[in-house]
Amino acid sequence: MRFRLVAVVLTVGLPVVLIQGTASSQSRRPIQFADGTAHAELEFHHNSGAFGKKYLPETMGSGCAFLDYDRDGWLDAFLVNMTPWPGQPGEPTYSALFRNDRDGTFTNVTREAGLAVEMYGQGVTAADYDNDGWVDLYVTAIGGSHLFRNLGDGSFEDVTAKAGAGGPGTFPTSAMFFDYDRDGHLDLVVANYVTWSVEGDLFCTLDGKTKSYCTPESYKGESPTLLRNRGDGTFEDVTRAAGLWNPASKALGVALLDHDGDGWPDFALANDTQPNKLYRNNGDGTFSDVGMGAGIAFGETGVARAGMGIDAADYSGGGQTSILIGNFSNEMIGLYHYEGDGLYVDEAPISTVGRSSFLTLAFGIFFFDYDLDGLFDIFAGNGHVADDIAAVQPTVQHAQPPHVFRNLGGHRFEEVTQELGPAISRPIVARGAANGDFDNDGDLDILVNTNNGPAVLYRNEGGNQSRFVRVKTIGTRSNRDGIGARVTVTRPDGHRQWRFVHTGSSYCSQSDTALTFGLGDHDKAESVEVVWPSGQVDRLGPIVANQIVFVQEGRGLLASKTLPRPGQRLVP
């Protein structure tokens, strides 16, 4: 199969690659998620720092992200890492930035990018916080998070102190850029877990003699942090002023949504052994927790579960966002469907999602349309926190296969993990997970960071046999990335699919901020509508299938890029 590549550079600095296939579409074949890690040369091993002391953070870590840091139109990868604890032997280990070489492989550019910084990293979020057109990085870490400003020349500058973005938490986890006050500047919410330090580590035991990993109940919680972007490159801590101060919180995941549909961005927190939170934006700089009344605070038994990762999307087509939360083993995933009047009902206990996830422990979790049929499916990366759990609970394992649930419509899902091939069915100790089209062949691939193990890149093979349209937003009055914009795609048959442009979600990770909408067998999208945080509405269409379209606020269609036709792939 041959392709002819023509590169075009837009005036806004966004490269466009036109890819024209010369071979006819292949017959439809089963979709597989192949292990593309080795072929992609994505050599990375997470270091938990474990050396026998059973420090709580060793069981956690570590996030990942798909982002285009060099604006060449190809997704790069960032993987968060820890380093040996103070006084322990071993060379420092760093989080890693992998540049996409545009041929199916990556190159580790961590050192030249200025990101070889020792830290006890946990999570990552990426967005253009200073509206200069280059995506920046915020990496959460025990003992001090880091804000890395993209200088636009392939390198980053650590501006944490100068920007006032370190945050007060001792154990930050997930983070999310969003514009809560809609002033055009991205603010930052950070989920914090528990109050922990090496000096304050507790001795927990199961047999009265041998130290074991403590549960989060052993430690005091920490309030989430809200950092307001002043618009001059600095942030101010407005947690208390915004009504978010809650030292009982033990948050691991954060997701964007608009709970009441009023145009002001709300967010949800997945809490571990504490009630989940749903913070409603009051539109005056403050938030109110409505999680209890909304029905997402607890599981069906009325008890707080061990929430890990979280995501939000309209998986049923009802027009309002529902919420997905990964929980501990023996608790099952939470699938909170929006029923109207501000109320959510957990559909997992009566669905395949609940039955299949009862014994697994879900960390990285998200909605995505892996088969491009126009319905949001579910991915959950699983792995227990105790490496000896099987000795206590023989039915539960440390390494666990992921879950992929295919959306059948009508509030129904089926687990298809085994059908998607041996690679994705293999047990791993998953933590962070993200999705994005790293090889530009149209379908969504999956990146997973594991605990004390290698990263895994699952390459989607065959998802692009169906058609799609991908939307990349460029804000003007709103923030440059268009975070918080609501994008709706309508097919010729009237089927609608929508989602917010968002950062965060999953667990300590971030997926591509360009949104992919499946069109099934339709050769076009009838329309694309973007409602921006500023209130501006842009409509365009029809849009020919298998394109990424760049939509600029107030201008509409700025440019487009054609991707391979159904059944074709860009790289081996």
Side-chain angles (χ1 to χ4, degrees):
M1 187 180 299
R2 295 179 180 177
F3 296 97
R4 180 162 56 88
L5 284 80
V6 182
V8 181
V9 179
L10 305 177
T11 58
V12 295
L14 288 170
V16 173
V17 181
L18 303 179
I19 303 146
Q20 300 171 342
T22 60
S24 60
S25 296
Q26 302 172 4
S27 58
R28 193 172 291 271
R29 62 190 188 279
I31 298 172
Q32 301 277 283
F33 276 99
D35 187 344
T37 317
H39 180 271
E41 300 179 17
L42 199 72
E43 297 180 9
F44 177 86
H45 194 284
H46 175 252
N47 175 19
S48 71
F51 67 103
K53 286 285 189 176
K54 300 284 186 178
Y55 289 160
L56 177 63
E58 297 167 2
T59 67
M60 309 297 285
S62 228
C64 59
F66 276 125
L67 72 157
D68 184 7
Y69 84 96
D70 53 2
R71 296 196 327 189
D72 66 351
W74 295 75
L75 287 178
D76 311 298
F78 186 82
L79 291 149
V80 182
N81 210 349
M82 292 179 64
T83 197
W85 295 108
Q88 297 307 307
E91 294 297 316
T93 48
Y94 308 111
S95 300
L97 176 65
F98 289 89
R99 186 191 65 223
N100 194 322
D101 294 327
R102 298 183 285 182
D103 60 0
T105 67
F106 291 86
T107 296
N108 190 327
V109 295
T110 307
R111 290 190 179 277
E112 47 264 56
L115 295 172
V117 179
E118 274 194 90
M119 67 178 84
Y120 303 100
Q122 295 297 302
V124 59
T125 186
D128 183 6
Y129 82 91
D130 53 0
N131 288 333
D132 67 350
W134 297 93
V135 64
D136 310 297
L137 282 167
Y138 188 79
V139 183
T140 62
I142 294 168
S145 299
H146 295 262
L147 176 62
F148 295 104
R149 180 174 177 264
N150 191 332
L151 300 180
D153 60 0
S155 69
F156 292 79
E157 176 189 7
D158 190 336
V159 296
T160 313
K162 181 166 58 177
T170 66
F171 200 146
T173 53
S174 295
M176 180 181 78
F177 282 110
F178 75 136
D179 186 6
Y180 82 93
D181 51 5
R182 301 200 311 188
D183 66 352
H185 302 288
L186 287 175
D187 312 299
L188 185 63
V189 61
V190 181
N192 293 307
Y193 192 34
V194 296
T195 301
W196 184 90
S197 65
V198 170
E199 297 75 19
D201 182 67
L202 301 177
F203 184 91
C204 298
T205 181
L206 296 176
D207 60 9
K209 298 178 181 178
T210 306
K211 186 179 181 184
S212 63
Y213 287 112
C214 297
T215 65
E217 291 98 330
S218 304
Y219 294 95
K220 294 180 180 179
E222 287 194 327
S223 176
T225 302
L226 179 63
L227 299 175
R228 179 180 175 272
N229 190 333
R230 293 190 178 103
D232 61 359
T234 67
F235 292 81
E236 61 176 327
D237 188 337
V238 295
T239 308
R240 292 180 185 270
L244 294 174
W245 179 255
N246 175 26
S249 182
K250 298 179 181 180
L252 291 173
V254 58
L256 175 74
L257 69 159
D258 185 359
H259 163 66
D260 50 7
D262 66 353
W264 290 90
D266 312 309
F267 68 94
L269 287 178
N271 267 322
D272 187 357
T273 70
Q274 291 292 314
N276 298 317
K277 300 293 184 180
L278 176 52
Y279 287 109
R280 178 185 177 273
N281 192 327
N282 298 320
D284 60 0
T286 68
F287 291 82
S288 298
D289 177 21
V290 297
M292 190 84 70
I296 75 157
F298 305 108
E300 63 170 350
T301 62
V303 176
R305 295 188 283 190
M308 307 292 177
I310 187 171
D311 199 12
D314 180 11
Y315 70 85
S316 67
Q320 291 289 333
T321 308
S322 295
I323 300 172
L324 177 71
I325 299 179
N327 293 307
F328 213 75
S329 56
N330 300 303
E331 290 184 342
M332 77 178 61
I333 289 171
L335 184 61
Y336 295 94
H337 182 261
Y338 187 80
E339 299 291 314
D341 296 325
L343 181 65
Y344 300 78
V345 172
D346 188 359
E347 294 190 332
I350 58 172
S351 77
T352 300
V353 174
R355 291 191 295 271
S356 298
S357 65
F358 184 72
L359 293 179
T360 51
L361 197 167
F363 274 91
I365 194 166
F366 50 74
F367 289 108
F368 76 139
D369 188 0
Y370 80 89
D371 55 0
L372 302 176
D373 65 352
L375 297 171
F376 286 121
D377 311 301
I378 294 172
F379 173 84
N382 305 311
H384 210 277
V385 295
D387 55 10
D388 57 354
I389 185 63
V392 182
Q393 299 182 51
T395 57
V396 178
Q397 301 298 313
H398 183 220
Q400 302 171 357
H403 291 303
V404 181
F405 297 104
R406 181 170 180 263
N407 191 334
L408 302 176
H411 300 246
R412 296 177 300 119
F413 289 86
E414 64 173 342
E415 180 162 17
V416 293
T417 313
Q418 294 292 328
E419 299 172 22
L420 296 175
I424 202 166
S425 302
R426 179 174 57 86
I428 58 175
V429 186
R431 292 298 183 258
N435 69 82
D437 182 10
F438 86 93
D439 51 5
N440 269 347
D441 69 348
D443 46 32
L444 294 172
D445 311 296
I446 301 170
L447 178 65
V448 177
N449 204 351
T450 66
N451 178 261
N452 213 37
V456 184
L457 179 63
Y458 297 110
R459 190 180 65 212
N460 188 330
E461 295 185 344
N464 64 359
Q465 293 170 103
S466 293
R467 297 178 172 92
F468 66 92
V469 63
R470 184 169 298 150
V471 181
K472 179 66 175 177
T473 51
I474 304 168
T476 52
R477 290 169 55 201
S478 303
N479 65 85
R480 176 62 165 69
D481 288 330
I483 304 301
R486 175 170 170 149
V487 181
T488 302
V489 172
T490 304
R491 299 190 318 204
D493 63 355
H495 174 81
R496 291 186 176 184
Q497 192 178 18
W498 70 273
R499 196 155 194 195
F500 288 114
V501 181
H502 62 284
T503 67
S505 283
S506 187
Y507 164 76
C508 289
S509 299
Q510 182 169 308
S511 298
D512 183 16
T513 54
L515 299 178
T516 298
F517 297 91
L519 300 177
D521 293 329
H522 296 276
D523 60 4
K524 66 179 179 181
E526 194 64 37
S527 66
V528 175
E529 178 186 83
V530 182
V531 181
W532 299 87
S534 67
Q536 168 73 29
V537 180
D538 290 311
R539 297 182 178 89
L540 51 147
I543 300 295
V544 175
N546 294 353
Q547 294 191 90
I548 176 171
V549 294
F550 300 89
V551 184
Q552 188 175 53
E553 184 178 14
R555 180 174 174 177
L557 181 62
L558 181 64
S560 62
K561 179 174 73 173
T562 302
L563 296 177
R565 294 195 301 270
Q568 297 181 336
R569 296 187 61 249
L570 183 61
V571 297

